[in-house]
Amino acid sequence: MSATARRAALAAAAVLALAVFGYASASPDYALGQATLVITYAIAGLGLVIVVGHGGQIALGHGALVALGAYTQALLVARGLPPLLALPLAMAAGGAGGALASLPARRLGGLYFGISTLAFALMVEEALVRWESLTRGSAGLGVAAFSVGGWSATAPAAQLGVSAVLLALAWAGCRRLLASRIGRAWRALREDEMAAQACGIAAGPSIALAFTAGGALAGLGGALYAHWIGYLSPEQFGLRFSFELLMLVFIGGARRLAGALWGALVIVALPQLIALARDALPGDTLRSAGVETLLFGALIVAAVLLRPQGLAGGR
């Protein structure tokens, strides 16, 4: 087994352990729901692994691409399109948003380009709030469970199964893409943009392609998120969500696909595990308000100090 496959297997085992731990300490449905959410975040995180880890770009508004996928899926399904057929369109919406967000890359670079992606996220969030005739604004949209034919994934175990299948497909697609000529061009631009251009690699189209692929994965994650959560509102996709996704990929390992899964485990599951462990401890001191956030922050700092290249490793 290769090192990459071993890391992916360990991350998958960690997700399973989360489900088992939650099953034993909370409730089966809760544990399965958390594991589903981890996988959904991991799919969106794969997009950031491509953009940030391999494309070498700063992306501060990835949450907006997730929102585009989520709202596209919700609106299409509400109008009668089967969820399975709506998924590619949700990915297309996320990919188109990524291509649009990458346009300033032709003129801007580094932090300035990163700030432009932040502005893009703000515009998307504002549009979702103000376009009430389509999105219902702050009132939000209800979303039915994912279904195929006459079967509906209403049970948490079914949701987890659908998410796991789509994660495996997305993972396989990313591996093929990163091993292709396109993936090698992204890494060349990341290491030395001028040298890559001297070798005939066009920076603008390559970066746009990275954002499009990353946006499509974000759209897929958003579509699943919409079905599992069952309700969408613009506040769910604010800047905090974008920063959570960015933190996810850096904690997990920006240059490894397994980093998306490890990062999702930390961002989604760790706060829940801390809360469960805190409630099990004797005394009231550790149950004070803010202790949970303090412990989460301390563990994040420890992870960054001990594994600066990310939990999945790789430089």
Side-chain angles (χ1 to χ4, degrees):
M1 180 183 289
S2 67
T4 301
R6 188 164 54 249
R7 279 189 289 269
L10 285 173
V15 175
L16 182 61
L18 165 70
V20 173
F21 180 82
Y23 189 96
S25 56
S27 69
D29 289 350
Y30 175 80
L32 293 172
Q34 287 298 302
T36 302
L37 200 57
V38 167
I39 292 177
T40 305
Y41 269 63
I43 292 174
L46 287 176
L48 269 180
V49 167
I50 289 177
V51 174
V52 178
H54 291 263
Q57 303 301 311
I58 300 175
L60 302 178
H62 202 65
L65 307 181
V66 178
L68 289 175
Y71 270 90
T72 300
Q73 182 78 9
L75 292 170
L76 291 175
V77 170
R79 283 157 177 74
L81 192 68
L84 190 60
L85 297 181
L87 276 182
L89 299 176
M91 294 178 67
L100 188 61
S102 72
L103 290 180
R106 298 176 186 274
R107 292 181 175 273
L108 304 175
L111 184 59
Y112 295 104
F113 174 60
I115 292 174
S116 74
T117 64
L118 188 65
F120 176 79
L122 290 172
M123 288 189 291
V124 170
E125 184 182 1
E126 193 66 20
L128 293 176
V129 172
R130 293 185 178 277
W131 200 352
E132 293 186 5
S133 60
L134 182 68
T135 67
R136 296 189 61 197
S138 300
L141 287 173
V143 189
F146 187 85
S147 61
V148 179
W151 178 79
S152 182
T154 52
Q159 295 174 359
L160 179 60
V162 172
S163 295
V165 169
L166 290 174
L167 174 63
L169 293 174
W171 195 293
C174 287
R175 287 196 65 179
R176 289 184 64 87
L177 188 60
L178 295 178
S180 69
R181 183 178 179 180
I182 296 171
R184 291 194 294 273
W186 289 337
R187 289 190 290 278
L189 286 169
R190 179 191 68 194
E191 297 300 331
D192 192 326
E193 185 171 329
M194 292 186 66
Q197 288 179 316
C199 294
I201 297 174
S206 294
I207 293 173
L209 192 56
F211 268 85
T212 302
L217 288 165
L220 177 60
L224 291 177
Y225 179 85
H227 284 297
W228 304 160
I229 298 298
Y231 172 79
L232 295 178
S233 68
E235 293 77 15
Q236 292 170 305
F237 305 100
L239 293 183
R240 178 175 177 176
F241 181 57
S242 290
F243 289 135
E244 281 182 350
L245 291 174
L246 195 61
M247 190 164 61
L248 175 158
V249 77
F250 278 112
I251 291 173
R255 298 188 180 182
R256 302 286 186 188
L257 294 179
L261 195 47
W262 280 113
L265 266 172
V266 171
I267 295 299
V268 177
L270 188 58
Q272 306 301 324
L273 294 176
I274 289 175
L276 290 172
R278 186 199 62 174
D279 292 341
L281 292 174
D284 295 330
T285 302
L286 290 175
R287 298 179 185 176
S288 304
V291 171
E292 186 179 316
T293 304
L294 179 65
L295 290 174
F296 179 67
L299 289 173
I300 293 296
V301 171
V304 171
L305 290 175
L306 295 174
R307 299 281 293 180
Q309 73 278 29
L311 297 176
R315 290 186 178 278

